Amino acid sequence: MHVEVKKFQTKKETYEYLNQQLTLQVKDIQNDIANMANASALIYLLLDDLNWAGFYLMKDGALALGPFQGKPAVVDIAVGAGVCGTCAVEGKTQIVEDVHSCCNHIACDISSASEIVIPMYKAGRLVGVLDIDSPYPARFDQEDKAGLETFVDILMKYIF
Ligand code: SME
């Protein structure tokens, strides 16, 4: 489905538009992989200053690479390892302002400087995480957290 690339002055408006577009893309499609692929494409298209956006999904007790946009990435992440694995253990959104000073970060792309990881729950069970990287330090704040947690809430209504 065609998506118009609109840019807004505020993060609030940006996330309202992103989340509206997500609903339009996924609401009538019963295909989890396709929906996560389009969800990562929307993030990459509509949010500025990113170099990776995608999913790691729980598989056999670890996180496995799912649909994404960006450079090829590490395939398996143990629960507890890296920012994604920490998110899986703690079950809450992780914001890392400077990945180079973060003791528990797995580098996929050396140009990444900051990162946000949002947990994905279905019926109380962790099914994966949404991971987004930026080449700029401190790219993600509480407004991004709120907007992306809503994004994940919407997506989880339609997948799994
Ligand atoms: N940085 C992540 C690994 C995945 S890549 O960023 C795509 C982490 O520390 O878990």
Side-chain angles (χ1 to χ4, degrees), residues 52-53 56 63 65 68 71-74 77 81-86 99 104-109 112 115 117 131-133:
W52 204 89
Y56 280 91
L63 290 163
L65 183 63
F68 72 94
K71 289 185 180 169
V74 61
I77 298 178
V83 185
C84 291
T86 302
V99 297
N104 194 11
H105 166 257
I106 300 165
C108 285
D109 179 345
S112 292
E115 178 164 9
V117 183
D131 179 21
I132 305 176
D133 291 356

Side-chain angles (χ1 to χ4, degrees), residues 93-159:
T93 297
Q94 309 289 309
I95 295 176
V96 179
E97 294 194 345
D98 175 7
V99 297
H100 303 298
S101 69
C102 165
C103 47
N104 194 11
H105 166 257
I106 300 165
C108 285
D109 179 345
I110 51 158
S111 65
S112 292
S114 60
E115 178 164 9
I116 185 167
V117 183
I118 300 96
M120 298 160 59
Y121 281 95
K122 189 78 180 187
R125 193 172 59 89
L126 185 86
V127 293
V129 301
L130 169 61
D131 179 21
I132 305 176
D133 291 356
S134 170
Y136 298 97
R139 159 68 180 80
F140 306 104
D141 61 16
Q142 293 301 312
E143 272 191 283
D144 296 289
K145 175 178 183 285
L148 291 166
E149 286 178 349
T150 302
F151 183 93
V152 165
D153 283 347
I154 293 168
L155 183 62
M156 295 315 299
K157 273 198 258 174
Y158 298 102
I159 65 171

